[in-house]
Each structure stands twice: as structure tokens, then as C-alpha cells.
Amino acid sequence: MRRALAILVPFVLTTILALTPSTADAPPPRASMLDRWARAALDGAETSVEDRERAMRNIEEAIRLEPADPGHWMVLGRLQEVGNHERLARESFEHAIRLAPEEPETRTRLAMAWKREWLRTLDTLALAHAIEQLDTVTHLRPYGSEGWLRLVPLRYEHGELPGAANAAANALAGRPRRAEAPLAVAYLAFRLGEIELADSLFRAAIPRLAPDLRALFDDPTRILNAPRPRDGDSADDPAQLDGAAHAAPPESAAAEEPTATAAGLALFAPLDPDPTTAANEVQLECWSRIAHAYFVFFDPLHPGLDARAETYMRYGPPRRVLRNPPGVSLIFKPNVLRTGRQDSFAGYPLDAEVWEYPELGMRILLHDRSLTGVYTQPVTREFIPGTIPDPRVLAARGDLLSIGGGASVFPTLPPRAQRLEVRGVVSRFEGARGPRLLAQVRAPGGPGDTLSARWVVIDTAGHEVTRGEQSLAVSACDPGESRLAEFDADLPAGRFDVTFSVRDAHRHRGVFRRQVAMPAPPSALALSDLVLCCGDPSQYAAQGAVRIEANMDSRVAGRAPLVAYFEIYRLATGADGMARFQYTYDVRRLADESSAKARAAAERRPPVGTWASREETQVGAMRRQFLRVATALLPAGRYRVSVHVKDLVSGGEAERGVEFVRE
């Protein structure tokens, strides 16, 4: 009996143990509890350092109890991120990915960790790692918006503009709906040259943004038009130390008008570089900078936008960014003047970035005094040369617009990759009802290209006087390479702003803009503008009408003559009903130098050539006249041709002139 029990008891125990679930296969209750405690510390609105240290101990113990759980490793990585242990955080995320390679949330967090490393060190390999992880996330969740949206600024910074636009489009179509997704599509549409689409998307997206982000779009004047922090401002000023590019909006911000505040409208309305369109390109450039700066520099671990984002909003992307370059001090000393001491031996390490804008003659120095990747303006009592745009550069660049005395700078022309080199000329004539404006614009294009032009005339009060639109035709000056559009309009006397815009089928565009004064027609003899023409003048007149094409380069080469056209108004008639007049022209060499002394010397030189017409007789008070000037013997240089007309009946005289270059 005893022998039978000795055999049966082990058998029964083995059977019971086989039927009982193994404790090794069941999750340890304590590990789950520790994980919940650690997550609660992470998700809490306000946590102290002691709370985070306790959470770190809890999750480390959970990992010892359950090392194969990827969720524990992700929580550990998040806690290490909060403690600014970026390398350890990346290692924890990578361990979690090895345990669960198809978990997109962990890969997203690893991508953001690599993004912070790229922003902190400017290491392009870190940028590539971030893009790689987000590419995997979008393959795992192709219909999720989060991965696509985070991929947008990284692809843009990697030089993949079409790829960034594709990511933004997928973010807009994905789930859950993100208010920032149409914002990404809008600013990339503008970068691709889709002006009208970008404008409509921005105006639809901005009202849906969070109040603090929307405030940047509604009223950018506090960034763009505000003076930059002065060198030497107190280091104890919280705003100075913060370097934040945005401030908390007023509580009534959500009740403001949906697209822009009065301050924003007042800033951008007079700055529109192309009034032929309904959109304001400077405003769209500003909004695009704000959007991209937000997507690149906003980090939930360090809420707010630092001095890098502010610099980008003011001046756009730099030509180059240098981290801790030679010759830049990497030590910060406190403000010794506030304590009354003459010198201080205390110094604290910092990181520095230099943003170079050689096209503006500017190098901006930024400091990371916390060593956490948050940059501020440097605190110093001395002026740092080159930290503002060079006024001489701004004065010489007609394609740049300065706001606030150099506080921010915007281009007035499209990017070079999308730019059409448009040339134009505006000439003043007289019509049956008063002053008449003739405007011509030329753009590069062959006979098979499709180009369209729009023009608008605006008076000094900002009111639109006239506008028009047409397709460009073949240019007589350069039939194989250029296309021409021509507009004319009767205008009242006054000053006007004339703007042309030209577009082709590939989203290339160009702008030509001129200020013109239209004087009231006098009661005596008068001349129109003297217009330089290209081609043979005998081909311009047909069936009593004259059609001219302006020589917009104002240049003549080889043995070709200089051809000019002008009109004579209000010739007096004699007793026989005939008008009689005579005209002369002379050509003078102008100074090639710009100094006042050189110009005065050129004025004293005698004309290099003078020619007088015979007495001309005609019926009528108005005369259309072409002028041919032989220039084959003229040396290369700048010249001015002047036409002098004398009415032989009334004795009235009038004169016009125009400059040209002999090549």
C-alpha cells in the first residue's frame, strides 16, 4: 500500500502541475502595477523631480521582473527623454523596437529623439535616421496622420520638396484629423508655386489651430516688426532668458476675426508685391515661414519656440549654420554690472550656433545656455557686428523688402527655381480723352510655350483703376526665345502703380512693377515719351496704325541703328490749314562712373552727333514719327539721345530724351 501511494502521489502532483498555468507565462502583477505608476508620473500635468526619480525606479524594477515587455522599455525611454538623457532614451526605444518591431508608437518616439539630436548637433545622419523611422511608421500605418505629419518638415529639410508635399497630402487624408495637416499642405503648396491654393488652404486652416499657434498667424507683427532684443539687455529679464518666439494669446483670441487681426492686415496690405493676384505673396511667405518653423522647432518636451524659430520667421532659411565655430566664446558669464562687481571669475559652458545670411551681410549668433537644445539671443553689453542686415545690401537689392528697419526681411520675387525673368517698359502718350499709358512686358518662351499675363493699375489711394489679362504672343525682337504682352489704357492725370505678372504652364512666374506719373496734357506743343524700338520701323506702320515693340534692354550692338519712336501733339496750323515743324536730335556720351564729378564732366562734353530734319509739313495737329540714329561709329558706353521739336507756325518748342547703351 505504501509502495502504491509512493508511486501515485508524484504522478498526481505532476498531472496537477501540468494542468495549472505556469506563473512564468502570466504577467507578474507587480510589474504591471509599477508600469502604471511610472506612466502616471509621465502623464501627470505637473510632476516634481522626486516623482520622476520614483517613476524611474519603478520602471527599472518592472523591467527586471519582465525584461521582454516592450512597453516597459518605451516608458523607460520616455523618462530618460524628460531627464535629457537622449542617448540612453534612444537605446531604450531601440530595445523596445527589437522586442516589438511592428509597434509604430515606439518608432515615432525614436524618430523624434533622432530629430532632437539633429537639431542639437546638426548631424545629418541623425536626420536620416529620423526619416528612416518615420518612413517605417507610415508603412505600418499608411492611413494614420501622425507619422506623415511628422515626416513633412524632415523631408523638406532633407531637400525632398515633392516628398514633403506627398507626406502632407497623406497627413491631410489620414486619421485622426489633425488641425495642423492643412497647414502643412498650405505652406508646401506655396513652396511649389501654387499661390491661390496655398492662400485658400491657409485661410481655412488658421482658424482651426490651437490659440497659441493661431496667434502667430493672426498677429505676426510682434515678431516681424518688433525690435530684436538689444545687446546688453538684462539677463534677469524672463522674456530675454526665455527667447520664446510666441507669447500666450489673450483669452479673447478665439473671438477675433477668423483669418487675421487688424494688426496683421495693417502690416501686409501695403506690402503685396503682386497686386494682380488676390493673394498677398509676402503674407504667404510669412505664414509659410511660421508653419515650417513650428513643424521643425516645436518640441513637446520643451514647449514654446526658441530663438532659432524666431530667426527663421524673420529671415527665412540661412545659407549655413555653424555649431560652436572657432572664435566664438563658449562660456557665459553672469551680468556683473548688476551686482556691482568689476569682474567675475564665474563662467558657465554653453553651446553656440551661428546662422549665416551672406546675401544680407548678416551672421546671427545664438546661445544654448541650458545645454538642452533651447537657444536664446546672446546676453552681452557689447554690440555684435553683423547681427542685423547690412543697410547697403538692402538698398541695393530691389527684390528684398525690409520690415521694422531690418527686424525682418522678405523677398518680393519668386524663388529662382520658379522665377521668370520678366522685363517691361511703360510709356506715356496722349489719347483722344487725355493721358494714355502703353505698357509692354516680355518673358522668355518659345513659340510652343503657353504664357499668360495680367496687369493692374492702382492709384495713390490704393484703388484699382484698371486691370487686364491676355496670352503672350511671339516677340518681334526675339521670335525664337521671347514672348510679348501689351496693354494700354486711358488714365486720368496723377501717379499710378503699374504691375505685370506673367506665368507659364510649369508654375513659373515673374513680376514687373513700375511707378509712373501721368501729367495732365498741356495746352501747348508737347511730345510723348521717346521709346526705343527693335526691328525695322518700316514694318511697324500698317493701314494707318502704328504698332511698336520696345527695346527693353535699351542696348544696340553691331552696325544696327538705334530706332526710336515718339509722337508730337498740338501742332499749330497755318492759314493754308497745314502744320509745319522741324526736329533735331543729338547724341551725348554719359559718364560711365557714378560720381558727381564724372557726371558733371560728361554734361560739359559736346554732342558726339547732331542731325536736323528738313521742314516737315502735314495735315493735322498730331504727328507720329520714327527716328533712326547711326551708332556704328560710336565707341562702347552709355549715351543719351535727345529730340528737340520746333513748331514753325506757333514757335512752340518741346524736347524729350532717353538713355541707351552702345555695346
Side-chain angles (χ1 to χ4, degrees):
M1 184 66 177
R2 290 179 180 177
R3 182 178 179 82
L5 290 174
I7 296 173
L8 182 60
V9 169
F11 175 75
V12 172
L13 292 175
T14 303
T15 304
I16 293 174
L17 291 174
L19 296 175
T20 303
S22 172
T23 57
D25 296 334
R30 180 167 177 77
S32 298
M33 179 180 62
L34 293 170
D35 185 280
R36 288 196 301 272
W37 288 350
R39 290 176 185 270
L42 278 172
D43 299 334
E46 295 183 4
T47 57
S48 63
V49 175
E50 291 78 8
D51 293 335
R52 291 195 295 269
E53 290 178 348
R54 188 182 304 110
M56 183 71 75
R57 292 193 297 270
N58 289 338
I59 199 63
E60 288 175 347
E61 184 178 350
I63 289 174
R64 284 194 297 271
L65 294 173
E66 197 175 15
D69 189 321
H72 299 337
W73 288 98
M74 188 179 71
V75 173
L76 176 62
R78 292 178 60 190
L79 286 167
Q80 290 165 336
E81 277 184 330
V82 174
N84 292 314
H85 302 295
E86 293 289 345
R87 182 180 61 82
L88 295 177
R90 293 196 300 272
E91 292 176 355
S92 297
F93 292 142
E94 289 169 353
H95 193 96
I97 289 173
R98 286 194 293 270
L99 295 173
E102 295 187 357
E103 175 55 48
E105 183 181 355
T106 311
R107 290 186 179 274
T108 300
R109 292 192 177 276
L110 178 58
M112 293 301 99
W114 278 119
K115 176 187 174 183
R116 281 189 290 273
E117 178 71 7
W118 163 62
L119 289 173
R120 188 177 66 83
T121 65
L122 306 179
D123 184 1
T124 55
L125 185 59
L127 174 61
H129 285 322
I131 294 175
E132 177 187 14
Q133 292 299 326
L134 289 175
D135 277 337
T136 305
V137 170
T138 57
H139 279 85
L140 294 173
R141 285 186 179 173
Y143 302 109
S145 63
E146 183 71 19
W148 289 112
L149 193 59
R150 293 187 180 276
L151 190 57
V152 168
L154 303 186
R155 281 186 173 174
Y156 184 93
E157 289 294 325
H158 201 249
E160 305 173 33
L161 182 56
N166 179 68
N170 282 288
L172 184 62
R175 295 290 190 276
R177 294 283 187 181
R178 293 286 303 273
E180 296 88 352
L183 188 68
V185 178
Y187 93 85
L188 289 170
F190 178 70
R191 295 299 180 217
L192 289 170
E194 298 283 357
I195 305 301
E196 288 77 9
L197 175 62
D199 183 67
S200 61
L201 286 172
F202 269 123
R203 297 185 183 279
I206 291 173
R208 299 171 52 196
L209 299 175
D212 56 345
L213 177 57
R214 177 185 168 182
L216 292 174
F217 293 91
D218 281 349
D219 185 11
T221 56
R222 52 185 169 178
I223 297 174
L224 305 180
N225 206 21
R228 293 181 52 191
R230 295 175 300 173
D231 297 317
D233 281 351
S234 171
D236 296 333
D237 183 0
Q240 174 76 9
L241 291 173
D242 223 0
H246 73 287
E251 295 181 358
S252 61
E256 295 173 359
E257 56 183 285
T259 56
T261 62
L265 290 173
L267 174 66
F268 291 116
L271 304 179
D272 188 359
D274 184 5
T276 65
T277 65
N280 187 322
E281 285 76 9
V282 169
Q283 185 177 50
L284 293 180
E285 172 67 24
C286 173
W287 284 349
S288 298
R289 289 183 185 180
I290 294 174
H292 187 63
Y294 170 77
F295 284 119
V296 171
F297 295 108
F298 181 81
D299 188 347
L301 291 181
H302 306 287
L305 298 177
D306 65 4
R308 295 172 299 177
E310 179 181 341
T311 303
Y312 190 97
M313 294 176 194
R314 290 177 181 271
Y315 303 110
R319 182 76 58 85
R320 186 171 62 160
V321 179
L322 303 176
R323 182 174 184 268
N324 296 335
V328 174
S329 175
L330 303 180
I331 299 296
F332 168 72
K333 290 188 176 183
N335 189 348
V336 298
L337 297 181
R338 183 170 289 275
T339 62
R341 292 177 291 173
Q342 296 301 316
D343 197 3
S344 173
F345 296 100
Y348 304 94
L350 55 80
D351 284 330
E353 282 189 3
V354 174
W355 287 39
E356 294 187 341
Y357 294 86
E359 69 278 8
L360 300 178
M362 181 175 62
R363 297 174 80 246
I364 297 179
L365 175 65
L366 304 175
H367 282 169
D368 175 15
R369 298 199 297 274
S370 64
L371 299 177
T372 60
V374 178
Y375 282 82
T376 65
Q377 300 289 345
V379 178
T380 175
R381 290 287 183 183
E382 300 177 357
F383 174 72
I384 304 176
T387 55
I388 60 175
D390 188 339
R392 295 170 297 180
V393 173
L394 295 178
R397 292 282 301 273
D399 60 337
L400 295 178
L401 178 66
S402 173
I403 298 177
S408 55
V409 177
F410 291 93
T412 59
L413 295 179
R416 292 200 176 274
Q418 302 173 7
R419 188 182 305 175
L420 283 174
E421 295 299 333
V422 175
R423 298 181 180 181
V425 64
V426 177
S427 305
R428 298 169 298 179
F429 296 89
E430 289 185 24
R433 293 184 294 273
R436 182 170 61 90
L437 183 73
L438 174 66
Q440 294 181 333
V441 64
R442 186 185 302 146
D449 295 330
T450 301
L451 293 92
S452 62
R454 289 179 288 193
W455 86 318
V456 64
V457 179
I458 299 174
D459 63 17
T460 54
H463 300 143
E464 180 181 309
V465 178
T466 185
R467 69 166 52 237
E469 182 174 357
Q470 66 174 245
S471 297
L472 275 72
V474 176
S475 168
C477 296
D478 189 3
E481 300 294 336
S482 297
R483 311 279 284 179
L484 180 78
E486 179 179 288
F487 299 88
D488 66 278
D490 294 322
L491 299 175
R495 298 188 64 85
F496 299 93
D497 183 2
V498 182
T499 305
F500 277 101
S501 68
V502 180
R503 297 190 181 191
D504 66 8
H506 307 289
R507 295 196 296 268
H508 297 150
R509 65 189 194 279
V511 178
F512 168 78
R513 194 166 186 172
R514 283 290 183 273
Q515 296 280 340
V516 60
M518 302 294 290
S523 58
L525 181 73
L527 300 182
S528 70
D529 285 343
L530 190 60
V531 183
L532 300 182
C533 306
C534 54
D536 186 353
S538 63
Q539 300 178 357
Y540 288 136
Q543 298 179 354
V546 175
R547 182 181 181 276
I548 62 174
E549 182 168 342
N551 179 353
M552 298 176 188
D553 298 328
S554 299
R555 293 177 178 271
V556 60
R559 302 186 64 84
L562 179 74
V563 179
Y565 173 79
F566 63 97
E567 294 180 358
I568 309 172
Y569 307 111
R570 285 173 294 281
L571 289 166
T573 57
D576 57 356
M578 303 296 290
R580 296 177 176 82
F581 67 95
Q582 185 180 42
Y583 66 90
T584 61
Y585 75 84
D586 62 58
V587 178
R588 292 180 179 271
R589 178 72 182 268
L590 300 179
D592 295 325
E593 302 86 359
S594 59
S595 66
K597 183 177 180 181
R599 291 195 301 267
E603 289 293 335
R604 292 192 295 268
R605 296 174 189 161
V608 296
T610 301
W611 181 86
S613 72
R614 299 170 299 179
E615 179 181 321
E616 302 286 344
T617 303
Q618 71 162 37
V619 177
M622 195 271 281
R623 170 77 172 214
R624 298 183 175 92
Q625 184 68 48
F626 281 99
L627 182 72
R628 296 170 64 98
V629 181
T631 61
L633 300 180
L634 296 179
R638 296 174 58 246
Y639 294 86
R640 177 180 178 84
V641 56
S642 299
V643 175
H644 183 88
V645 175
K646 182 176 181 179
D647 188 333
L648 299 179
V649 176
S650 68
E653 298 183 9
E655 186 173 3
R656 287 286 186 182
V658 65
E659 295 182 8
F660 69 96
V661 175
R662 167 66 181 165
E663 296 181 332

